[in-house]
Structures are given as C-alpha cells and as structure tokens.
Amino acid sequence: MLGIDRFVRRHRAAVLAVWLVALAAAVPLAMRQSDHLTGGGYGVPGSQSQRVESAIGRDFAAGSRATLAAVVVPARGASAADVRAALARVGAAAGATAHVELSARARGVALAELRRDGVRTLVVPLTVDVTESDAPDVATGLRDRLGVGDGPTGPVALHLIGQSALWAGLQDLTKRDLARAESAGFPIVAIILLAVFGSLAAAALPLALGLVSVVVTGALIYALSMAMEMSVFVTNMASMIGIGVAVDYSLFVLARYRAEVRAGRSPDEARAVALSTSGVAVTFSGLTVIVSLAGLWMVDTTAIRSMALGAILVVAVSVLAAATLLPALISLLGRRASTPGRLFAALHRVRRSWAPRRPGSTRPGAPVPPDFWTRWATAVMRRPGRALVAGALVLAALATPALWLSTTDGALRQFPAGNETRQGFEAARAVTGPGAASPVRVLAPRTQAGAVAAALRADPEVERVMPAVASRDGARALVSAIPRHDGESPQAKALVARLRDRLPAGAEVGGTSAGLVDFHDLVDGSMWKIAVFVLGLSYVVLLLLLRSAVLPLKAVAMNLLSVGAAYGVLSVVFGQIDAITPPLVLAVVFGLSMDYEVFLLSNIRERWRATGDTRSAVAEGLAASAKTITSAALIMTAVFAVFVLTGVPSIQQIGLGCAVAIAVDATVVRLVLVPAAMELLGRWNWWLPAPLERLLPSRGLEEALPA
C-alpha cells in the first residue's frame, strides 16, 4: 500500500482524471442498468420443471411462443364505448410494438363478450412471435405505449399479464424503489458523517466514494446483462451493499488519517500510515467479503448468483476506490480533510466551555482521565462472566423465533397489494379462475397420456384437465391441468409433490408451481454447503490474520449468534420469508462482519504484542476502534434500514436481516461479548498449535505493517 500511496501522490492528477472519465462513461450506462434484467432467474438447471419447459419449447408446435394478454378493467360508470376505445388503444399500441399484435379474432371475441355480458373485465390474449426469454422487452415497450403503471388514464384501466409482463413490472418497481432508497440513503449517511467528522470536506469524501462505487457498478451490471441473464434484484443488492461498504471502507482509512494528523504527523506521512494500516485492513476485509459472497455461487440458479455477482462487483470497486481515489482526494484536500469546519469547531468550543471540569485536571502533569470506551472495556472485563451471560441471553432471545422460520417463494407476491401489476393479475383471476395463468404441465410418453389425465382428474386440487397434445415426433404427450389455486399457493405446490409421487415412471411435472418447488428444494439443500463454506472461510482468514486458533473460533460462533438474531427478527416481522433471504443474509453478514472483526482484533493484537497484557490490550484496542466501528455500523445499519421501506418483500427482508445483524454485531458482540470472552480466555486467546505455527506465514497482518 505504501507503493500505491507513492504512485498516487506522484500522479494525483492522472488518478483523478481516470476516475472522472470512468464516472462520466458510467453514468449513462448506470441509468439503464435495469433495461435487460429479468424478473425470472429462478429456473433450476437439470430439474424436472426445467426439462419440461425445454421440451415444450423444442418439441411442441407453437410451444416456444411467449404468453401475453391485456386485461381491460372498466371503472364503475364506464360505458361500452369506453371499453371499445380501450380495446382500440390496445390494438394501436400492439401494432406499434414489434413482435406483438392484437389479432382480429381475439378482438372479435372480446367485442362479442362485451355485447353478450355487458361492461365487465375482459382478458384479451395477444399474439407474440418471440420466446419467453425475449418477451420482457416486448412487454416493456407495450407497457410504455399503453401508459401502464402511470396511474388512472380514464374510465377503463389497462393491465398486462403473463410471465413477460411480470418481469417488465418488476423492472419498473425495482427501478422506482432503488431511486427512492438511494435518495433517502445518501442524506442519512451524510448527516451521520457530519456528526462523526465535524467537517463538510471530510464527510464529502466517503459520500463521493459511495456514489462513484454505485454508479460504476451500475454500468458494469448493464454491460454484463447484455451477455448473461441477471435478476432485476441485482440493482437493489449492489446499491444496498455498495453505499454501506464504500462509505465504511473510506471511513476506516479517513479516521486513521485524521488520528495520525492529530498525533503530529504531516498530511503526507499521515496518509501513508493510514493506507499501510487501515488501507491494508480494508483491502483484506474486502477480499474476504468477495470470497464469502462467492459461496453463493454454489446455488445453481441465476437469481441468487446474479445478486451475489452484483454485491461482489460493488465491493471490488469500493476497495479499488479506497486504495486509489480516496488517497488522491485526501491529498487534494490536504488539512481540510483532517480539521473540523469552522462551525463545528465553534460548537465544540461552546460545548467545552459549558462542560464541568474534572478536579485537578488543569494541573501540569496530571494524568489524563480514561475516555468512555476505555472505561466501558474496563467495566465489562471487571465482571466478564456476567457480561458474557447477559450478552448471550440477549442474542439467544432474539434468535429463538428462528427455530420456527419458514420460507416461501413466488414472483407475483413480490409486488405490494396496491401495485398495478398485481391488480392486473388479480382482475384476470376473477374472470378466468385463480389457476388459469399457471397450469400444471405433465410431460409423459404418449402411451401414458390417458393414465396421466386420469390421475390429474382424481386430484381434488385440479379444476379441469386440458386435452393431451402430441409432440412433433409423436413420441410424447403434454397434459395440462388448471389448479383451483394460483401457481404460487401452497395448495398448488402440494399438488406438484403429490403428482411426482403418484404419476407413472417417465412422467415429469413442470409449470410455474413445479419451478417454485424445484427452486425451494435447491436453496434449502444448498444452505449447509453455503454455511460450511462461509464459516470455514471466516475461520481460515482470521487464523492467518491473528495467528490464533482460538480467536477465530470465538468470532465464528459470535457471528452465528448475530445471524441467528437476524433470522429470529425476520421470523417475527414477516412470518414466512423468501427462500433467497437466508443464504444471502448469511453470506452478506459474515462477509461484512469481518470488517469490524479485522479492525478490532488487529488493534488488540498490535497492543498485545507490545505489552503481553491481554486486559490492557483489549481495553486500549477497543478504545481505539470503538468509535470508528460504531460509526461505520450506524451507517451500514441506516443504509440497510432504508431498503426496508422499499416495496419488494425479498429486498425488505434482506435489508432488515442485515440491519439487525450488523447492529447486533457492532454493539452486543464487539462491545460486550468480545472483551468479556477475551478476558476469560486470557493467554489462551493467542494459543496456536506448534504444527500450525510452522505452516502459517511467519507474520500476521499488522506485523507486516510499518511501525
């Protein structure tokens, strides 16, 4: 890092110019980052549902075409002429949009229903000549031309339904939610930074890094989405992680820089020390977060992998910005980055003039009284057993509801109750039935078609069975059934499980419900692999960093308590949570908690190496780290909490889970459990078996840093 500092100091203008060009190029791409994202990505390669979907598109006539329909919902008092005008709008918009049309036959059927039944909701099928994977662009263009989602446009409301319409609606919803979250998150972070640094110039640095990291990552997401399938939730994930991480990393470096300046170093010396200490820790922590998130790639599904990729990208950009852009900006600002602003300095003088003086504090040579965090650490370590039990009881109480945690999934349930897309689907269900839009599809040898149809009719969840359709080669048959409940309901998912148990060998069950069942089974079956990977990684990283076999074990156990507390709160608040939430919260929390673990324990170990006294090392290390850790955790918690106010339940759950876990980790764990446990362990904190001592690198992280 010293080499990077020297390079940045010599080529500051060039570094700033490169970042400025990158930002300027990224802005227009970041504004379009959701254009090619998909609301799907929940397919499971190799599963029954995926095999059925592939076979339908490949072997059955017209099976590969997307399904899209317009829902015409007249308001009270609307006339037949209003409905006919709405149908004309649909026809005109479809005619102006590539790959979709309102056929004369479909329009004629709708007008006949209007004459026969009077003014009521109509579901009008549209003809689409592209596959389901290409249809979201068609649905997006049609939504724009119809003004869907812009609010009431007259006596007749228009909606679009179908899988592609669902994806297009999710794109609009996540884009609006992201804009609201970012517009609320940055001002909150700015207020906290102003309170921490007391300087507008210093507070602006972490904000600038957060903005740059999110924008550059948005451009990378846009570029990647052109070449691979990515979930619409990747933008929210990247923004949620990026704002907090970029601000936290720059906060760690800037806090150390300001401390070194206050200690009497020149700005250049202070910056070099900050980069070679906190800068190294930030890089180390960032790489750990990236590897931790990479564990989510063990779940072979686009939705989770793309969300993990978005988080990985923004962490990588944040680390790069903290290592290059931040020192350049610090160098540019000089002492303005380390001194309070005039207003804050004046307020500080007023506060000190009103504060009561300690007796004897003005005598020359009088001892400086310990600060709050030193007194706190000393108090905790005076009765470590009580502190450990009290902290553990708090976390156990929060985590207990996680024992009854249950998960669910489904795209339509990601929309708030009053959302236009959900209203359209519910209006269509009232006309066609709850399960009409999500039939169960059974693929079987043609000789078994009769037996499959009979088994479907015998199930009480099946409302009606459609005639069997033969494949192009005549070898197989596709039998579709309409369930009595919608495809995301527990009843429809239970139907899939029964059919897979009862149908003849060779028959495979697909459709919306089957896809959700396969996705849920995949995520549940992968949780143990993700947990082993993340826990094992965290242990190895801290083992290398701290050269202790005991401290990493303690850290992993305490992080598990934080994750358990997050799961417990989610269970109480939401009841059922989305299937993607537990693995994402686990990976994100374990990755981010490493920031605080590295920052705190490396400070403690540095002092222990100098004194050999665990109690004083913990007290001094905690005193030196606590303000920065609590400030960083407050920022991270605030950013995650902002996303709880969005309209998508899965993002709300990830935001709440991470906010709770980070808040608990930075308070109960770091400020109570860590000092109490280290006091009880004594010299066992630093125990390392001789064989491991010979295998590990000869120097820990802070031992590689300059004095």
Side-chain angles (χ1 to χ4, degrees), residues 7-88:
F7 176 84
V8 171
R9 187 168 64 249
R10 292 171 184 169
H11 307 283
R12 185 180 69 189
V15 171
L16 291 173
V18 168
W19 276 104
L20 188 61
V21 170
L23 183 62
V27 167
L29 299 181
M31 293 177 66
R32 301 181 57 195
Q33 61 183 294
S34 62
D35 284 3
H36 300 286
L37 302 179
T38 172
Y42 292 87
V44 180
S47 64
Q48 278 196 39
S49 57
Q50 195 75 9
R51 290 195 297 269
V52 170
E53 182 178 346
S54 299
I56 291 174
R58 183 181 63 248
D59 301 331
F60 289 80
S64 61
R65 292 182 180 176
T67 302
L68 187 64
V71 184
V72 182
V73 183
R76 181 175 298 179
S79 65
D82 295 327
V83 177
R84 286 193 293 270
L87 286 171

Side-chain angles (χ1 to χ4, degrees), residues 8 61 91 160 164 288 397 401 663 678-679:
V8 171
L160 293 178
S164 58
T288 305
M678 293 188 73
E679 171 67 10

Side-chain angles (χ1 to χ4, degrees), residues 437-461:
S438 50
V440 174
R441 303 182 186 274
V442 181
L443 186 65
R446 192 170 183 181
T447 56
Q448 296 178 354
V452 168
L456 287 168
R457 292 190 185 96
D459 195 291
E461 174 59 19

Side-chain angles (χ1 to χ4, degrees), residues 246-302:
V247 171
D248 269 15
Y249 288 171
S250 53
L251 175 63
F252 288 147
V253 175
L254 188 57
R256 183 61 183 259
Y257 167 77
R258 290 163 63 90
E260 296 298 330
V261 170
R262 287 195 300 270
R265 295 185 187 270
S266 70
D268 284 347
E269 292 173 337
R271 189 179 61 253
V273 172
L275 282 177
S276 60
T277 53
S278 295
V280 172
V282 161
T283 303
F284 203 85
S285 299
L287 293 175
T288 305
V289 174
I290 289 172
V291 178
S292 179
L293 290 165
L296 293 171
W297 276 71
M298 289 187 287
V299 185
D300 189 10
T301 183
T302 298

